[in-house]
Amino acid sequence: MPMTYKLLTPGPLTTTDTVKREMLFDHCTWDDDYKRITQRIRRRLLALAHAPEATHTAILLQGSGTFGVEATLTSIPGPDDKLLILANGAYGDRMADIARHAALPHTHLRLPLDASPDPGRLRQALADDPAITHVALVHSETTTGILNDLPALAPIVKAAGKTLIVDAMSSFAGVDLDWPALGVDFLVSSANKCVQGVPGFSFVIADRAKLIASRGHARSLSLDLHDQWATMEQDGKWRFTSPTHAVLAFAKALDELDAEGGVPARAARYRANNRLLIARLTALGFRPYLPPALQGPIITTFLYPEGHAFAFQDLYAYVKARGYAIYPGKLTDADTFRLGNIGEIYEGDILNLAAILRDFLAEHPSK
Ligand SMILES: *Cc1c(COP(=O)(O)O)cnc(C)c1O
């Protein structure tokens, strides 16, 4: 048996054995049973998003989450449209990188990492540039762990009559929101985040009319969101080879999400994990980077204790040898590491981790 560990990372995350076991079967891609599984997944995703089937539709797309974001950003705006990107972390910056690669007209608004985008800045940016037609932002910015204030921002985008694209990668199914009611026109997430499937595809929950209106806008073939949808909409057949094993695992993960009590129950578990994690680590001398009001329930950035005399690699190896994989920090201005508390992670794991970190600190005294 190789060494195993649980993932305290923001996805891929630790899945159940029953989800992993679904992947032992090599499914045929054009078989009716398989198409039905795809269609059922699409309906279930709409239900999780509180999106009515009459007005919304779900598209599954091969590739990791970034493929879904790139497909949306490069398929939805037309040639005369302009994108405003609100970025307060690496995933917001990545959206701008996508826009640059595709030569999309865009404005990259770089905002402080330790605050939710200021609603006044958004209102001003829209007022200053009438050419803007689409606004894109990240909901749970995994860079810091902040949960951006979508309920404050989305109505401003809607009042201005713009299309709203949200990277909800690490929050969808981990935070319960009525996304269409908020005014989110396109929501992007992926199989290996809070639904607790394995990596292999992303998905987009789209306003059906806006998706149909985007026909012909795509800048690439394989990331053409409208064409991906048009094929899938016929009978559940994917355009191009689909990640069959990941799809079967995802269908099982959706069942297990229901069995847990749906998104509200999962969100409560993640929130409880996160509170316990912060309480236990704070007691050991680690400080969360964000104030409690901005801290999301998915992943937390921690500063090292004062005067610490160890490198992340030492900490990583020590914790890994005791059964958990942790995550490096992504801030340039502060020495940090990150801990995700999503996936098959429970109170016992948080307590185990706290005990491991306590032992580590005892063996690595501060200067
Ligand atoms: C995980 C994640 C992504 C997607 O990353 P991939 O490595 O392409 O799966 C995008 N945005 C956010 C906020 C994420 O957490």
Side-chain angles (χ1 to χ4, degrees):
M1 183 74 182
M3 207 204 79
T4 63
Y5 46 76
K6 287 190 178 182
L7 296 169
L8 296 173
T9 63
L13 35 66
T14 297
T15 58
T16 61
D17 290 342
T18 40
V19 161
K20 286 188 271 286
R21 212 170 290 139
E22 289 296 299
M23 295 186 285
L24 293 174
F25 178 55
D26 305 303
H27 217 296
C28 172
T29 53
W30 58 264
D31 176 88
D32 283 338
D33 294 338
Y34 185 68
K35 292 181 196 164
R36 272 194 290 273
I37 291 169
T38 296
Q39 297 297 57
R40 187 155 155 271
I41 288 173
R42 294 177 65 214
R43 283 194 301 274
R44 302 279 288 283
L45 287 175
L46 289 181
L48 293 182
H50 303 276
E53 287 188 40
T55 52
H56 287 71
T57 189
I59 308 124
L60 315 183
L61 179 76
Q62 296 90 336
S64 79
T66 303
F67 290 63
V69 175
E70 185 154 11
T72 305
L73 295 182
T74 61
S75 297
I76 300 306
D80 301 325
D81 290 337
K82 184 169 179 182
L83 189 61
L84 171 67
I85 298 160
L86 305 183
N88 63 338
Y91 293 96
D93 291 340
R94 187 177 293 176
M95 286 178 158
D97 212 7
I98 289 168
R100 251 188 320 275
H101 274 81
L104 296 178
H106 70 284
T107 296
H108 179 191
L109 206 56
R110 300 195 70 180
L111 300 164
L113 303 196
D114 58 353
S116 179
D118 175 27
R121 277 295 293 278
L122 169 61
R123 212 177 278 113
Q124 193 61 47
L126 292 175
D128 287 347
D129 188 355
I132 289 164
T133 51
H134 294 67
V135 176
L137 66 105
V138 177
H139 181 222
S140 165
E141 234 314 346
T142 313
T143 310
T144 56
I146 196 170
L147 197 63
N148 285 330
D149 192 357
L150 203 54
L153 299 165
I156 297 169
V157 178
K158 293 290 99 183
K162 316 295 181 188
T163 294
L164 179 57
I165 298 169
V166 174
D167 169 347
M169 208 69 62
S170 65
S171 57
F172 180 76
V175 174
D176 195 19
L177 282 179
D178 184 334
W179 304 90
L182 270 176
V184 177
D185 298 302
F186 295 89
L187 174 156
V188 188
S189 185
S190 76
N192 58 268
K193 302 265 171 149
C194 298
V195 176
Q196 296 188 186
V198 304
F201 65 95
S202 59
F203 54 85
V204 181
I205 293 164
D207 178 285
R208 185 184 287 268
K210 292 197 174 194
L211 177 69
I212 290 171
S214 75
R215 185 178 172 190
H217 291 173
R219 278 81 173 168
S220 85
L221 172 69
S222 53
L223 297 180
D224 186 331
L225 198 62
H226 177 277
D227 277 12
Q228 180 80 2
W229 169 77
T231 303
M232 196 167 267
E233 184 72 352
Q234 286 169 29
D235 62 356
K237 170 95 170 67
W238 291 53
R239 199 181 56 142
F240 317 141
T241 299
S242 63
T244 50
H245 303 84
V247 170
L248 297 177
F250 192 73
K252 182 69 173 173
L254 285 168
D255 290 341
E256 295 185 359
L257 173 56
D258 281 352
E260 185 172 349
V263 178
R266 180 155 297 175
R269 171 164 65 89
Y270 287 173
R271 179 63 77 185
N273 279 351
N274 187 256
R275 288 209 174 110
L276 184 64
L277 177 73
I278 290 174
R280 291 294 166 137
L281 264 70
T282 304
L284 293 172
F286 296 96
R287 276 176 304 120
Y289 169 74
L290 293 170
L294 298 176
Q295 176 62 52
I298 306 298
I299 181 164
T300 307
T301 297
F302 287 101
L303 302 158
Y304 295 102
E306 286 303 330
H308 76 280
F310 56 85
F312 173 77
Q313 280 310 327
D314 304 327
L315 180 64
Y316 180 79
Y318 190 93
V319 176
K320 179 182 165 187
R322 289 156 183 81
Y324 294 93
I326 65 173
Y327 215 52
K330 212 170 181 168
L331 304 182
T332 48
D333 61 339
D335 197 12
T336 59
F337 68 105
R338 290 177 291 170
L339 293 172
N341 52 258
I342 57 177
E344 283 300 285
I345 298 297
Y346 296 88
E347 186 182 312
D349 296 299
I350 308 289
L351 298 177
N352 285 344
L353 176 76
I356 295 164
L357 293 178
R358 184 199 58 214
D359 294 348
F360 178 82
L361 291 177
E363 292 176 31
H364 297 77
S366 292
K367 283 181 280 209

